[in-house]
Amino acid sequence: EAQVTQNPRYLITVTGKKLTVTCSQNMNHEYMSWYRQDPGLGLRQIYYSMNVEVTDKGDVPEGYKVSRKEKRNFPLILESPSPNQTSLYFCASRTRPQETQYFGPGTRLLVL
Amino acid sequence: DAKTTQPTSMDCAEGRAANLPCNHSTISGNEYVYWYRQIHSQGPQYIIHGLKNNETNEMASLIITEDRKSSTLILPHATLRDTAVYYCIVRVPFGNNDMRFGAGTRLTVKP
């Protein structure tokens, strides 16, 4: 089954404790991205990747890092989480050329 | 990417057709219209997309006006599980540009 998976689905952590949210897709998509969703602000892109070793900032990259060492994986790294990073996070990958985007199930993060 | 305007919310009776409008008056010639939906904090789900011809798939139909300044997503027989936020997005495919999600339309299907 074609899918995007994220882990963990739920996470409670404390300020400053490094964490990684994993994202993996099994569709051989070149393009992957991370979004955060907050009430009243909609979906905002954090980082995206056009291919292996090619990443770029989205609209709200501050406080986040990503890496793309393999085509299927695109982890999101929070080196020093802060309470304002409490949010619902979605990973997505995109087909070519139709550009239909597949989203993961989401990761709900609470930073205390 | 062109900006879209959608109603904030709509209701629909179960079993009836749900018609969700979207205005995109500044759409350019090479921009496609995409529709996604998000069911209660799940990841957004692709529904359908088109350039200028009407499109239909197993989920919905997309009607684009001749001048391409507006479109309508039609769910022919809405069910309670179609209750979701529906996003209309216009963009040029193949580029680096992001797929920008606005506020969407919150569709509530009522029994």
Side-chain angles (χ1 to χ4, degrees), chain A residues 2 6 18 28 32 45 62-63 80 90-91 97 99 101 109:
Chain A
Q6 295 177 227
K18 180 180 178 179
N28 202 37
M32 298 184 72
Q45 192 184 52
E62 293 77 22
S80 182
F90 291 104
C91 180
E99 298 280 297
Q101 190 145 268
L109 173 65

Side-chain angles (χ1 to χ4, degrees), chain A residues 38-102:
Chain A
D38 303 289
L41 296 176
L43 278 156
R44 295 179 293 168
Q45 192 184 52
I46 303 171
Y47 267 95
Y48 66 93
S49 170
M50 297 291 289
N51 213 326
V52 174
E53 302 292 1
V54 181
T55 64
D56 207 347
K57 297 177 181 179
D59 293 329
V60 288
E62 293 77 22
Y64 304 94
K65 286 175 57 177
V66 292
S67 69
R68 189 88 181 276
K69 294 183 170 56
E70 305 166 281
K71 199 172 187 178
R72 63 182 292 128
N73 297 323
F74 190 44
L76 179 69
I77 303 156
L78 284 71
E79 294 271 4
S80 182
S82 62
N84 65 11
Q85 292 177 300
T86 292
S87 187
L88 177 59
Y89 291 87
F90 291 104
C91 180
S93 69
R94 188 185 295 174
T95 62
R96 294 281 176 140
Q98 291 83 6
E99 298 280 297
T100 53
Q101 190 145 268
Y102 293 82

Side-chain angles (χ1 to χ4, degrees), chain B residues 58-73:
Chain B
E58 64 278 3
M59 288 182 69
S61 295
L62 173 61
I63 309 297
I64 303 174
T65 58
E66 193 168 341
D67 63 8
R68 302 211 322 123
K69 293 186 176 181
S70 66
S71 60
T72 300
L73 178 75

Side-chain angles (χ1 to χ4, degrees), chain B residues 62-108:
Chain B
L62 173 61
I63 309 297
I64 303 174
T65 58
E66 193 168 341
D67 63 8
R68 302 211 322 123
K69 293 186 176 181
S70 66
S71 60
T72 300
L73 178 75
I74 301 172
L75 308 178
H77 304 288
T79 71
L80 299 179
R81 287 178 293 181
D82 292 321
T83 292
V85 177
Y86 288 77
Y87 299 98
C88 170
I89 301 160
V90 293
R91 67 184 296 275
V92 178
F94 315 124
N96 293 342
N97 53 324
D98 182 31
M99 190 163 284
R100 294 185 177 272
F101 291 76
T105 296
R106 182 172 296 278
L107 175 69
T108 302

Side-chain angles (χ1 to χ4, degrees), chain B residues 15-97:
Chain B
R16 303 295 293 270
N19 297 285
L20 292 93
C22 180
N23 286 321
H24 31 80
S25 58
T26 59
I27 192 170
S28 60
N30 58 351
E31 286 181 314
Y32 283 66
V33 180
Y34 292 81
W35 282 85
Y36 283 76
R37 72 179 182 184
Q38 186 174 23
I39 298 173
H40 188 56
S41 296
Q42 296 179 21
Q45 176 190 25
Y46 166 80
I47 301 173
I48 199 167
H49 76 284
L51 181 61
K52 51 186 171 182
N53 296 324
N54 297 337
E55 303 286 346
T56 295
N57 63 19
E58 64 278 3
M59 288 182 69
S61 295
L62 173 61
I63 309 297
I64 303 174
T65 58
E66 193 168 341
D67 63 8
R68 302 211 322 123
K69 293 186 176 181
S70 66
S71 60
T72 300
L73 178 75
I74 301 172
L75 308 178
H77 304 288
T79 71
L80 299 179
R81 287 178 293 181
D82 292 321
T83 292
V85 177
Y86 288 77
Y87 299 98
C88 170
I89 301 160
V90 293
R91 67 184 296 275
V92 178
F94 315 124
N96 293 342
N97 53 324

